[in-house]
Amino acid sequence: MSEQENIPEEEQVQFDVNKNAEVFLQSLKKRNIKYSSDIASETIKLLEKIVTNSDWKAAKDLMQIIRNIGKVLIKPHYVHTIVGNMVKRVLKIIRDEYTIALYGKSEYYDIEDSLQKMLITQQEEMDFNKEISSLKKSISANLRELQEECQRSPEVIAMQSEEHIHSDEIIMTFGYSRTVEKFLKAASKRNCEVVVVQGGPRSGGLELAKSLVESGISTTLIQTAAIFPVMSRVNKVIVGAHCIMANGGMKAICGVHQLALAAEYHSVPFYVLAPLFKVTPQFVSSSDEEGFNHMLSPEDLISFEDDELLRGVEIINPAYDYVPPENISLIIFNTGANSPSYVCRPLKELYHTDDHDL
C-alpha cells in the first residue's frame, strides 16, 4: 500500500491529492529533487495546489486538509525534514492570514498591549470557522513569496561570505553542500585555501573539490582519518546542515560530529550554513533514536562480495550525526549570522506551537 492511500475517503478533495502526493514522494525517493531548496520549493508548490484547488470554506477545514496530507508526506524514512517544516510553515501562514483578515494583525495583541488585555485575549479560543472570501487569495500570495525565498536562500547566504572569510585563510569543510559551494566561490577573491574532507561514499567531497578547483580555488582533498592532524592549520570550519534542531543543535551527514570535536579541541571556529527553512521545531534526545536517524546499506562500506567478512561482523552505517549546540560557533542563516541560542527566536516566528506535532 502506498503512503497516500492512508488518507481517509472523507478527506478527499476535488482535485486528486493522492496522485499529486504520490508523484512528489516518488520524485524524492528517486532523488529527482536533489537540493534542499528545490525540495522546499516543490513542497510549497504542492501545498499551494492543495490550497487553490481543494474544496474548503473555512480556515479550519483547510488546516485539517494540510495536516492530513502532511502526515502522509513525512511518513517515509527517505523524506527530508524540510517537507515537514514547510507543512508547518503553511499552517502558520493560514493562521496569520486568518487573524489578519479578522483583526488587522497576525496576533491577538500587540507587544505594547497591557498585561490584562493579553491574558484576556489569550483565553479566547480561535475556532477558524468563519468564512473569509479573500483568504484563499492571500494565502496563495504568501506561499509564492515563501517559495521564492526558499529558492534564493543559498545565494543570499553566499552574499555574506566576505563578512566571515578573510584573506589567505584555510577553510575546512565536509562532503558536498551546494550552499557551502556557493559560499566558498563567492569568497574566491579572498585567496583562501579550502580543505575538503571526503567523508563517506555518499558524502560527495570529491564532487565539491572538483567544482572548487574548476573555479580557481586552491583545494586539497583529504580522508576523514586526516581531520585531526590537519585541523591545527585550519582557520575556520564551514559546513552545511541537514537541519537545525530546536535547541540549536544540528543534524548533519555522518562524520560531521567528529569534525566539530576536532575543531573544538584546536579552538577553531565551527560555522554552519543553513537557510531558515531548515530550522525545525524537533528536539533530539538521542542521535540513535528512530525518527532522527536511519541506517544506510552496509555495501557502502564493505562490498557484498566479501561474504566471509560479512559473516563475522555487524556493520552499522548511520546516515546522520547529531552535533550539539555547544560545538557550534555560529549559524549563518539567509537573514544573518547568529549563535545557536538564537534559534528559539525564528522558531516562534516560523511555526505555531500547536503545529509542532502534525
Side-chain angles (χ1 to χ4, degrees):
M1 181 180 293
S2 58
E3 293 88 356
Q4 76 283 357
E5 292 176 6
N6 295 326
I7 302 178
E9 290 184 2
E10 62 269 22
E11 299 297 341
Q12 302 298 314
V13 292
Q14 286 184 349
F15 90 119
D16 197 342
V17 173
N18 291 347
K19 184 177 180 180
N20 281 268
E22 172 68 13
V23 171
F24 176 75
L25 289 173
Q26 287 300 318
S27 296
L28 288 179
K29 189 173 184 178
K30 296 177 181 178
R31 297 183 64 84
N32 294 335
I33 311 175
K34 185 176 181 181
Y35 300 113
S36 58
S37 59
D38 295 333
I39 294 174
S41 179
E42 290 299 318
T43 305
I44 297 167
K45 191 181 297 184
L46 171 63
L47 296 175
E48 185 186 359
K49 286 182 182 179
I50 295 173
V51 171
T52 304
N53 299 295
S54 299
D55 183 18
W56 57 275
K57 296 181 179 180
K60 183 178 181 180
D61 301 328
L62 177 60
M63 290 167 66
Q64 189 59 50
I65 293 172
I66 297 296
R67 282 197 183 95
N68 288 338
I69 193 64
K71 292 176 182 177
V72 173
L73 292 178
I74 66 175
K75 186 176 180 180
H77 72 86
Y78 54 81
V79 172
H80 201 293
T81 312
I82 291 171
V83 175
N85 292 347
M86 293 301 97
V87 172
K88 296 165 188 175
R89 186 89 177 264
V90 170
L91 290 171
K92 178 66 161 56
I93 289 175
I94 295 171
R95 292 176 183 274
D96 287 348
E97 291 305 310
Y98 182 83
T99 52
I100 287 173
L102 289 183
Y103 303 102
K105 52 190 176 182
S106 61
E107 298 291 344
Y108 289 105
Y109 52 84
D110 291 323
I111 297 176
E112 294 82 5
D113 286 343
S114 67
L115 179 61
Q116 182 180 6
K117 185 177 180 181
M118 289 168 60
L119 292 173
I120 293 173
T121 52
Q122 279 183 313
Q123 293 174 359
E124 297 178 0
E125 292 188 2
M126 285 283 283
D127 54 16
F128 297 95
N129 275 326
K130 187 172 182 180
E131 295 183 21
I132 302 173
S133 58
S134 62
L135 190 59
K136 180 178 291 188
K137 184 177 180 180
S138 61
I139 292 173
S140 297
N142 273 270
L143 293 184
R144 286 191 290 271
E145 290 180 7
L146 177 59
Q147 184 178 352
E148 183 179 354
E149 175 191 329
C150 292
Q151 287 284 14
R152 294 185 64 250
S153 291
E155 286 76 16
V156 175
I157 291 176
M159 291 170 60
Q160 306 175 53
S161 61
E162 294 188 6
E163 300 176 15
H164 302 285
I165 297 179
H166 308 296
S167 297
D168 302 320
E169 284 191 328
I170 299 177
I171 309 297
M172 182 178 284
T173 187
F174 190 100
Y176 180 83
S177 165
R178 187 172 66 155
T179 305
V180 172
E181 179 185 12
K182 291 179 179 292
F183 192 85
L184 295 174
K185 287 182 177 180
S188 59
K189 66 174 75 174
R190 297 293 195 185
N191 297 320
C192 60
E193 180 182 345
V194 179
V195 177
V196 180
V197 182
Q198 169 65 40
R202 301 191 186 192
S203 299
L206 180 59
E207 180 183 353
L208 177 60
K210 287 181 177 179
S211 177
L212 295 177
V213 169
E214 290 171 358
S215 299
I217 299 175
S218 176
T219 306
T220 304
L221 183 67
I222 66 172
Q223 295 298 322
T224 306
I227 288 176
F228 196 84
V230 175
M231 185 64 72
S232 60
R233 299 177 54 242
V234 172
N235 300 107
K236 287 186 180 74
V237 174
I238 300 177
V239 298
H242 183 82
C243 68
I244 302 296
M245 312 301 288
N247 64 339
M250 174 178 65
K251 180 178 179 179
I253 57 176
C254 190
V256 173
H257 189 208
Q258 176 184 348
L259 183 68
L261 293 174
E264 182 182 32
Y265 182 87
H266 289 280
S267 300
V268 175
F270 188 89
Y271 291 2
V272 177
L273 308 184
L276 279 176
F277 59 74
K278 288 191 175 184
V279 177
T280 177
Q282 297 176 350
F283 286 89
V284 58
S285 57
S286 170
S287 60
D288 297 326
E289 69 176 331
E290 185 179 358
F292 175 87
N293 218 338
H294 68 269
M295 298 302 163
L296 301 174
S297 170
E299 190 178 17
D300 291 342
L301 305 177
I302 298 179
S303 174
F304 287 136
E305 296 176 356
D306 298 328
D307 55 338
E308 294 184 3
L309 179 60
L310 288 173
R311 291 194 195 101
V313 298
E314 179 183 2
I315 302 172
I316 300 175
N317 185 18
Y320 303 112
D321 266 352
Y322 171 64
V323 182
E326 53 266 25
N327 295 140
I328 300 173
S329 306
L330 201 67
I331 303 176
I332 303 176
F333 298 111
N334 45 299
T335 54
N338 298 96
S339 67
S341 60
Y342 171 81
V343 170
C344 61
R345 182 72 178 264
L347 274 178
K348 294 180 180 179
E349 297 175 355
L350 299 176
Y351 312 112
H352 194 279
T353 53
D354 292 344
D355 301 325
H356 285 185
D357 295 319
L358 293 177

